[in-house]
Amino acid sequence: VIKNGTFVYNRTAGSASLTENVPVTDETLFHVASIAKYFTAALVLKSIEEGMIAVDDPIAKYAPDMKLATRGVTIADLLSHRSGLGSSYVTEQETDRDDALAAIDNVPYDPDKLGKFNYSNDGYDVLGVLLERIYGRDYEDLLREKILTPACLERPRIWSSIDLSDPEIISQPLAPVPPKLINRNYGMIASGGLLITAEDLAAYQWALSRGNVLSVQSIETLFKAREKRKTNYATFGGFWREHDVLGARLSARGYEEWGDNAILIHYLDKDIIVAVVTSRGPAEDSGQPSFRMQLSNAIENLLAEGLAKDT
């Protein structure tokens, strides 16, 4: 937990291994799944600042042969989950960027979803490939140079860039990761491949909000509340809602079927940042509340109680 730029709470607990006594430390990386989208959105906005793309550019400008391009989809549509694409996970089998785009293009498409919020891993996979095409460089290198380094973060990694089976480096999940996903693939990069500590996740949000990563205009674009959903609004890479006591609440969250789950919350009006990372689960399809939500909800309640008492 960061308040006004100062860490006021930081705790680690548990074992990073299911079979050995390897305690979780401040250095232990966790797979935070879809929180990677929040970082990818920042990377896209950085590329806009550098004049490489524009937020309203049609996809046809960068991938003219895609069926997606013929539908008039824009960069903003991909960022805000309004491209009509869903989450097919077909890119998890692709190690070539062009093959990844082709695989997404071959997924059955529902035209009724175009222009409406439809949470999409595929859309962010497309963004990752487009960034690689535009710069002629791997996503991992771009993220480190343009986002992580300005935030003064050295520890975070992208999927498969380290030994995923080593509990001394990364907390091991409750269920084995499918073998086909271990190597670098386009389903575990831009939409869900970030490995990071809770401390670095919170520190990133603080650096970002202070203008150390993006311009003020880009930050406003990233944080802007967009399409209304049941309990919140979608933003680029995250979600926004109003809390009765804590005010504006910006969040990014991730969950994997093998138990990894995480959440990043910034209570903008109070300048309080909360980050929770865990591999405890339960499994995403269990019907039980994720451990990230059990912890973050408890923290939010304590913060609200404390602010109500002015403590």
Side-chain angles (χ1 to χ4, degrees):
V1 180
I2 292 179
K3 183 177 182 181
N4 299 325
T6 300
F7 277 98
V8 295
Y9 184 83
N10 190 9
R11 181 184 178 188
T12 61
S15 174
S17 171
L18 296 177
T19 59
E20 304 171 26
N21 182 22
V22 182
V24 173
T25 72
D26 290 343
E27 301 288 327
T28 303
L29 297 174
F30 283 80
H31 177 217
V32 295
S34 286
I35 289 181
K37 294 180 177 68
Y38 186 56
F39 284 71
T40 296
L43 184 55
V44 171
L45 291 173
K46 174 60 72 173
S47 71
I48 293 170
E49 289 181 8
E50 294 179 350
M52 302 298 286
I53 60 173
V55 72
D56 293 323
D57 274 349
I59 301 308
K61 185 174 180 179
Y62 309 102
D65 296 334
M66 287 190 75
K67 299 173 188 175
L68 188 66
T70 67
R71 301 172 186 134
V73 171
T74 66
I75 296 294
D77 290 331
L78 293 172
L79 286 167
S80 57
H81 301 279
R82 292 169 58 89
S83 67
L85 296 174
S87 298
S88 67
Y89 306 105
V90 292
T91 52
E92 292 178 350
Q93 305 172 47
E94 305 299 340
T95 59
D96 178 86
R97 65 182 68 155
D98 294 335
D99 289 346
L101 291 186
I104 290 173
D105 229 16
N106 288 327
V107 174
Y109 185 81
D110 183 353
D112 291 337
K113 293 181 179 178
L114 180 62
K116 302 175 183 177
F117 181 88
N118 185 44
Y119 191 82
S120 176
N121 278 356
D122 291 358
Y124 272 79
D125 293 340
V126 170
L127 285 170
V129 172
L130 295 185
L131 286 167
E132 290 193 345
R133 281 187 169 187
I134 290 166
Y135 283 95
R137 299 170 59 190
D138 287 345
Y139 174 94
E140 295 90 327
D141 294 338
L142 294 170
L143 184 71
R144 181 158 302 283
E145 176 189 318
K146 300 182 183 298
I147 301 299
L148 299 178
T149 297
C152 299
L153 301 180
E154 298 180 353
R155 291 180 293 196
R157 294 289 185 271
I158 293 295
W159 190 261
S160 80
S161 64
I162 58 174
D163 183 355
L164 298 174
S165 66
D166 187 351
E168 297 287 351
I169 300 174
I170 178 172
S171 183
Q172 299 299 292
L174 291 180
V177 176
K180 68 178 183 179
L181 297 185
I182 298 300
N183 295 323
R184 186 182 192 271
N185 66 83
Y186 279 91
M188 299 298 291
I189 299 178
S191 69
L194 183 64
L195 311 172
I196 195 169
T197 67
E199 180 178 313
D200 281 350
L201 196 56
Y204 169 73
Q205 180 61 22
W206 184 84
L208 175 69
S209 66
R210 290 311 184 274
N212 297 345
V213 180
L214 297 174
S215 69
V216 172
Q217 181 178 355
S218 292
I219 294 169
E220 291 175 352
T221 300
L222 182 66
F223 291 2
K224 182 180 179 181
R226 299 179 185 275
E227 183 166 340
K228 181 73 168 65
R229 303 174 71 243
K230 289 183 179 180
T231 60
N232 56 27
Y233 289 82
T235 65
F236 284 175
F239 300 93
W240 184 97
R241 73 175 176 84
E242 189 77 19
H243 187 278
D244 292 342
V245 176
L246 298 166
R249 179 187 189 273
L250 180 74
S251 69
R253 50 191 186 241
Y255 207 165
E256 289 287 4
E257 61 191 45
W258 45 79
D260 295 342
N261 59 105
I263 191 164
L264 171 64
I265 305 172
H266 191 168
Y267 301 97
L268 297 166
D269 295 336
K270 305 301 181 183
D271 203 14
I272 297 174
I273 299 168
V274 175
V276 176
V277 297
T278 176
S279 56
R280 188 184 185 280
E284 188 175 13
D285 60 357
S286 68
Q288 301 299 315
S290 64
F291 198 48
R292 70 170 189 206
M293 295 307 298
Q294 295 177 47
L295 290 178
S296 61
N297 286 343
I299 292 170
E300 184 171 279
N301 290 338
L302 288 170
L303 290 174
E305 290 174 9
L307 288 171
K309 299 175 182 177
D310 195 28
T311 58

